[in-house]
Amino acid sequence: MSRDDSAVPSGRPTILVVDDLPENIHGLLEALKDDYSILVATDGPKAVELAQGPTPPDLVLLDVKMPGMDGYEVCRRLKSSPKTCNIPILFVTIVDASGEKIRGFSLGAADFITKPFDIDEVRARVKTHLELGRLRRVLEGRVERLNEYKHAADVSNIVSRTDPEGVITYVNDAFVDTYGYTREELIGKTHRMICDPSTPPGLIREMWSTILSGAIWRGTFSNLSKAGEEVYVNNTIVPILNPDGSIREFISTSVNVTYLIKQEELIRQQTTDALTGLPNRVKLMQDLGKASNQAMLGMINIDQFKAINDFYGLCNGDKVLLEIGDRLQKMAAGRASAYRIGGDLFALFAENQGETADFENLIAGIVNQLESVAVDCGDDKINIRVTAGICFGRDNTYTHAALALERARIERRDYLVYTDQMEIKSHYKDNIRWSQKIRNALNDGRIVPFFQPIVDNRSGKVCKHEALMRMIDEDGEVIAPTFLQAAKLSRQYAALTKAIVEQAVAVLAECSGEVAINLTVEDILDSNTAAFIDQKLAQPGIGSRVVLEITETEGIENYEEVRLFVDRMKTYGCKFAIDDFGSGYSNFVHLLRLKIDYLKIDGSIIMNIIDDPDSEAIAQVIVDAARRLGMRTVAEYVGSADIQIKAKELGIDFSQGYYIGKPLPKPLSGGYAN
């Protein structure tokens, strides 16, 4: 029986039988044909040709004594070729001399079978060596993958190993490049040579306590490079244990987060008043939005501050503001947080964990102290008068405190606490009116999306639209969504969201590109609304064309449900954007965890990038940070050609605003913007 390699069926291991005697071949075929595919060669050259063909065998049964090229030479050639070097070779021979076996093993043979052979022995040895070959291939594959993982870790992380005493035994290239020391300078030393002296000792003690117990430690801190530069790292230290549970070594992997830390610090400056160092209005609004209990807010205004600036000069005016800020911090310490929210206006905020009367007494005492103790400005002692407004509540706290302040001024009172009677008539009348208008508009299908184009700044083409909610009044007037608070109070807000989502999804069939839809955290946390959105985006071809925008000030980092919602929508191909980015403080770690695709830079920044160097710098920081994090940026409120030119110069990916195009009842069919 003889077959060439082209006739070998797939699915079974293939054995190449090499022997110049037909009776030997026949015997091996009878023993193996039921379990294996067989290739046959009657001489050495043919054996080499078949073995190095397109489908090499899984095992070779090789006769030693053959005319011309003997088995040893065949073995040598196969073992010297990368293609066939790992094929197990079993010599079949009448020779039983140990010297001949040593020669065969030295050439790479796996085993010897002595003629006359026992069929059961042949089967057993063949099966054993095929299984060993399979296990070797599996092991090699795993080793290869482990090497790939190690390479990936080495190129993306700063890696070091130490002995149980903390002495460095290994550092990778990233460690050397990051800290500027050579391996020779590092090996045999401890990490003290890169430790930042400002690192709290308690952090070091906690780290050692954790890893010496055999547990993994994670933390973020700063080190110092050889040049003395700060290097912020997100570090993980893993103890490697011996079989008896003792520690063999520690492996440390770090990610360099210096750039993100520094950029995040620049963005954080938006929430701090430059003169007093107090948190500013942006931070106050953020804190009010995150308040879990009833908010207690007091607004304190310096009366006739312009007259102080005009009479005593701007320098002394600044001294007054600094002094007021310092006094507020000291008098409210432990009871409330102080803010400067603009010009001559300050605020104190606390959550209601005690009696509201205590907070009212605090404000009254502060007003009295500010007025009774003059501000010392050297040659001048400046007496001031202040007025305050107080609000206790969860909704519209800022607006109501401002209203109380205004009423206190009108009534010439030191302070007033907001009550519903201050605006109850107009408040209720407006709510009732808007509630009815919303109900009628929903019933008549007059809650509709208007589509504002978004342009790709590279191509100049309109590539997507944002669906903006509008109400078409009964007389045809287009009304912007100033009615959302009334909708929330009348429990119609979810119906508005669903109406916009349904119509925005429906219009996808009539336009190209993506459509962005605004959501609030309330929408996401409402199970009925979230299920409705899930149903719409799960439709074939829909999710991948939808961008869901969440406003930055919504405080998304507080909601695990938001992350789960984002992950679920991502399975449909949906993208996510953070709207009004830069209006508050965002944590880049949370943005990464939520897999955000776009950052829409807040309009208050974009509108000022021409005339305000700080706004331009903040925009550039956001663009650079977003690019490093794999996110794309959108400029909002692009209202002029100059702003658009600057947005392109800053590297912002997309632009949106009245200069690009006004919101329209239907998306643009395509083409170029201004």
Side-chain angles (χ1 to χ4, degrees):
M1 181 175 180
S2 176
R3 306 188 343 233
D4 62 28
D5 57 332
S6 64
V8 175
S10 61
R12 298 194 296 174
T14 301
I15 297 175
L16 173 59
V17 177
V18 186
D19 201 309
D20 62 327
L21 297 178
E23 58 270 24
N24 291 338
I25 293 174
H26 180 76
L28 291 170
L29 286 175
E30 288 300 317
L32 303 171
K33 67 180 182 179
D34 292 337
D35 299 315
Y36 307 103
S37 299
I38 308 298
L39 296 173
V40 173
T42 57
D43 57 47
K46 183 63 176 178
V48 174
E49 177 187 346
L50 291 177
Q52 296 182 344
T55 55
D58 297 292
L59 183 140
V60 177
L61 290 174
L62 179 59
D63 185 26
V64 173
K65 300 296 183 180
M66 293 186 297
M69 185 186 299
D70 64 10
Y72 293 125
E73 179 60 20
V74 173
C75 181
R76 188 190 66 78
R77 293 194 184 191
L78 295 184
K79 290 299 178 181
S80 63
S81 169
K83 187 174 183 180
T84 56
C85 63
N86 290 322
I87 299 174
I89 296 176
L90 278 64
F91 277 121
V92 182
T93 178
I94 59 173
V95 176
D96 196 24
S98 61
E100 293 298 324
K101 288 186 177 182
I102 291 173
R103 181 184 177 190
F105 286 131
S106 68
L107 290 171
D111 206 348
F112 272 80
I113 299 174
T114 304
K115 300 178 185 177
F117 49 77
D118 179 80
I119 290 178
D120 290 334
E121 179 188 359
V122 172
R123 287 174 178 158
R125 290 182 183 247
V126 167
K127 183 178 180 180
T128 297
H129 286 288
L130 284 173
E131 178 63 14
L132 289 173
R134 186 190 69 81
L135 293 174
R136 177 186 52 75
R137 290 191 295 275
V138 170
L139 181 60
E140 288 175 348
R142 291 179 178 176
V143 170
E144 183 178 356
R145 284 195 296 275
L146 285 173
N147 286 332
E148 291 172 353
Y149 297 154
K150 179 179 180 299
H151 175 70
D154 272 348
V155 298
S156 60
N157 293 282
I158 303 164
V159 181
S160 65
R161 296 205 310 261
T162 71
D163 65 16
E165 283 70 44
V167 176
I168 299 172
T169 58
Y170 166 83
V171 293
N172 69 346
D173 291 341
F175 195 108
V176 172
D177 295 341
T178 300
Y179 294 110
Y181 290 97
T182 66
R183 280 186 172 79
E184 291 72 21
E185 291 175 305
L186 293 163
I187 302 300
K189 307 294 194 308
T190 69
H191 283 82
R192 290 192 188 93
M193 66 187 303
I194 61 169
C195 184
D196 187 340
S198 64
T199 301
L203 181 67
I204 303 298
R205 287 194 297 270
E206 177 208 337
M207 178 198 72
W208 275 108
S209 175
T210 300
I211 61 178
L212 287 175
S213 71
I216 296 172
W217 183 86
R218 295 180 177 88
T220 300
F221 52 87
S222 65
N223 286 322
L224 294 180
S225 70
K226 188 175 183 179
E229 297 173 343
E230 284 185 325
V231 179
Y232 289 90
V233 292
N234 190 344
N235 184 236
T236 300
I237 303 176
V238 180
I240 305 300
L241 306 180
N242 292 310
D244 63 0
S246 61
I247 295 173
R248 184 170 76 245
E249 63 178 343
F250 299 111
I251 295 180
S252 167
T253 59
S254 303
V255 177
N256 190 340
V257 294
T258 305
Y259 179 85
L260 293 180
I261 293 289
K262 291 185 176 180
Q263 301 313 306
E264 200 167 271
E265 178 60 31
L266 288 176
I267 293 176
R268 188 182 291 113
Q269 291 174 7
Q270 293 177 80
T271 63
T272 303
D273 176 58
L275 176 64
T276 63
L278 293 174
N280 61 13
R281 180 182 180 278
V282 171
K283 187 65 168 67
L284 173 60
M285 299 304 293
Q286 177 184 339
D287 291 345
L288 284 170
K290 293 179 180 179
S292 58
N293 299 302
Q294 177 178 263
M296 301 189 294
L297 181 65
M299 284 190 183
I300 301 171
N301 182 247
I302 304 174
D303 298 339
Q304 299 181 334
F305 183 71
K306 183 177 184 299
I308 294 176
N309 276 333
D310 291 343
F311 188 82
Y312 293 101
L314 293 176
C315 181
N316 281 332
D318 285 347
K319 289 181 180 178
V320 169
L321 294 173
L322 283 166
E323 177 68 17
I324 298 301
D326 186 57
R327 290 190 197 179
L328 289 176
Q329 278 189 303
K330 290 178 179 177
M331 288 186 285
R335 302 167 68 185
S337 299
Y339 304 77
R340 182 190 175 202
I341 53 180
D344 53 4
L345 188 60
F346 292 81
L348 291 178
F349 162 71
E351 291 194 61
N352 187 10
Q353 297 176 337
E355 294 295 329
T356 56
D358 292 340
F359 188 80
E360 183 177 343
N361 290 335
L362 172 64
I363 299 297
I366 286 174
V367 169
N368 180 65
Q369 199 275 347
L370 293 178
E371 293 185 348
S372 61
V373 180
V375 177
D376 187 353
C377 294
D379 294 337
D380 298 308
K381 303 293 187 290
I382 302 175
N383 291 291
I384 63 171
R385 289 191 60 82
V386 297
T387 304
I390 303 172
C391 177
F392 305 114
R394 293 181 183 274
D395 298 323
N396 299 317
T397 311
Y398 186 95
T399 301
H400 291 161
L403 181 58
L405 172 62
E406 187 61 28
R407 290 294 296 270
R409 280 175 168 170
I410 294 171
E411 297 180 16
R412 298 178 180 273
R413 304 278 293 274
D414 287 344
Y415 72 90
L416 280 176
V417 178
Y418 171 81
T419 63
D420 291 340
Q421 286 71 29
M422 289 181 179
E423 60 170 359
I424 189 167
K425 292 182 180 179
S426 62
H427 183 70
Y428 282 161
K429 186 181 295 184
D430 280 351
N431 278 345
I432 293 170
R433 181 173 65 89
W434 277 112
S435 175
Q436 187 61 48
K437 288 174 74 72
I438 294 167
R439 185 178 296 108
N440 292 338
L442 284 167
N443 291 336
D444 297 340
R446 290 185 283 105
I447 298 296
V448 298
F450 269 44
F451 299 88
Q452 186 169 35
I454 300 173
V455 71
D456 185 324
N457 284 337
R458 289 191 176 182
S459 67
K461 288 185 177 181
V462 173
C463 60
K464 61 188 75 178
H465 294 79
E466 181 178 359
L468 300 169
M469 183 186 297
R470 296 292 185 266
M471 176 191 288
I472 308 300
D473 208 357
E474 292 176 344
D475 61 1
E477 179 186 3
V478 179
I479 302 175
T482 55
F483 45 85
L484 294 182
Q485 185 60 32
K488 291 179 180 179
L489 292 173
S490 59
R491 299 185 180 181
Q492 298 179 100
Y493 186 80
L496 294 177
T497 297
K498 292 178 182 178
I500 296 302
V501 170
E502 182 155 20
Q503 294 175 75
V505 167
V507 85
L508 288 172
E510 305 171 12
C511 68
S512 60
E514 297 172 339
V515 170
I517 303 171
N518 289 284
L519 294 182
T520 65
V521 168
E522 292 176 14
D523 292 321
I524 296 172
L525 298 181
D526 181 82
S527 58
N528 188 269
T529 303
F532 178 85
I533 297 170
D534 192 309
Q535 178 191 7
K536 293 298 178 183
L537 268 59
Q539 300 176 57
I542 298 297
S544 60
R545 295 183 60 196
V546 171
V547 178
L548 297 178
E549 296 187 5
I550 307 173
T551 302
E552 181 197 22
T553 54
E554 292 290 331
I556 56 177
E557 65 271 20
N558 290 336
Y559 300 94
E560 181 64 10
E561 294 92 334
V562 174
R563 186 186 66 79
L564 295 174
F565 176 85
V566 171
D567 289 345
R568 188 164 66 253
M569 295 305 104
K570 285 277 188 178
T571 65
Y572 304 140
C574 178
K575 298 180 179 65
F576 280 81
I578 295 297
D579 200 8
D580 300 331
F581 186 81
S583 62
Y585 171 70
S586 282
N587 188 315
F588 282 114
V589 174
H590 289 300
L591 295 183
L592 283 173
R593 189 163 63 92
L594 289 174
K595 303 180 179 69
I596 297 301
D597 304 286
Y598 300 100
L599 297 183
K600 300 192 74 173
I601 304 174
D602 185 63
S604 64
I605 297 172
I606 295 300
M607 289 188 295
N608 294 307
I609 58 175
I610 300 299
D611 302 315
D612 182 7
D614 290 339
S615 293
E616 180 181 352
I618 290 169
Q620 187 68 71
V621 165
I622 294 173
V623 171
D624 292 343
R627 185 175 293 117
R628 287 174 176 263
L629 295 174
M631 303 175 194
R632 307 186 77 182
T633 48
V634 182
E636 298 184 292
Y637 288 84
V638 175
S640 68
D642 289 340
I643 291 176
Q644 174 63 355
I645 291 170
K646 177 61 70 174
K648 289 182 178 181
E649 290 176 358
L650 292 173
I652 299 174
D653 300 298
F654 305 95
S655 289
Q656 175 181 0
Y658 271 43
Y659 175 74
I660 305 301
K662 297 180 180 180
L664 298 171
K666 291 186 177 181
L668 297 177
S669 58
Y672 292 84
N674 290 325

